[in-house]
Amino acid sequence: MSTPTDMHTAADTIVTRLQAVDTAVTALKARRERDPETLGDKILLFALPTIAGVAIGRIMQSVWSGVERRCIAGGNTKATTRLIASLSRTAISAAVAAVTNQLSSMAAQAIVNKHHR
């Protein structure tokens, strides 16, 4: 059987754990209140650069397919030319992707900042 002292100790342990949970919840609430961005803002900050990147990627793929068709139609099929074209395509695509990502991220942040004014 449990003695009153054991029950008191168990109750104290439960109260201590509940106070720890309450402290953690209070800290999370305070952190959420300090963060001015809403869920919609966070989605926009993620989605706009992603959608822009996908759109630009599709456009670049169409451009490169057209360039490749013209090169093949022109009779240019040398391996060296293909290597240089592939490296050029990769470098240009990476540069365009980086610029697109940077600009779309800046645009999304500007929209969020304007929303918070």
Side-chain angles (χ1 to χ4, degrees):
M1 282 189 124
S2 298
T3 63
T5 306
D6 292 338
M7 288 182 170
H8 184 63
T9 303
D12 287 343
T13 302
I14 292 171
V15 168
T16 303
R17 288 182 181 171
L18 287 174
Q19 287 173 342
V21 169
D22 183 52
T23 302
V25 168
T26 302
L28 287 172
K29 181 181 175 187
R31 187 173 72 186
R32 183 182 55 82
E33 289 172 350
R34 282 192 308 267
D35 186 8
E37 293 179 354
T38 64
L39 179 61
D41 294 339
K42 291 179 183 195
I43 290 172
L44 178 69
L45 289 171
F46 170 76
L48 186 63
T50 302
I51 293 169
V54 168
I56 291 297
R58 294 291 182 183
I59 291 169
M60 292 299 292
Q61 184 177 8
S62 296
V63 168
W64 292 128
S65 294
V67 168
E68 190 173 287
R69 268 187 264 123
R70 276 189 241 123
C71 286
I72 290 172
N76 194 357
T77 57
K78 291 182 182 176
T80 305
T81 306
R82 284 187 160 207
L83 175 64
I84 292 170
S86 178
L87 291 174
S88 299
R89 180 173 65 180
T90 302
I92 292 169
S93 295
V96 169
V99 168
T100 300
N101 186 28
Q102 187 69 25
L103 291 176
S104 60
S105 293
M106 289 169 48
Q109 190 62 52
I111 293 168
V112 169
N113 290 345
K114 185 176 180 181
H115 178 259
H116 286 282
R117 285 188 206 160

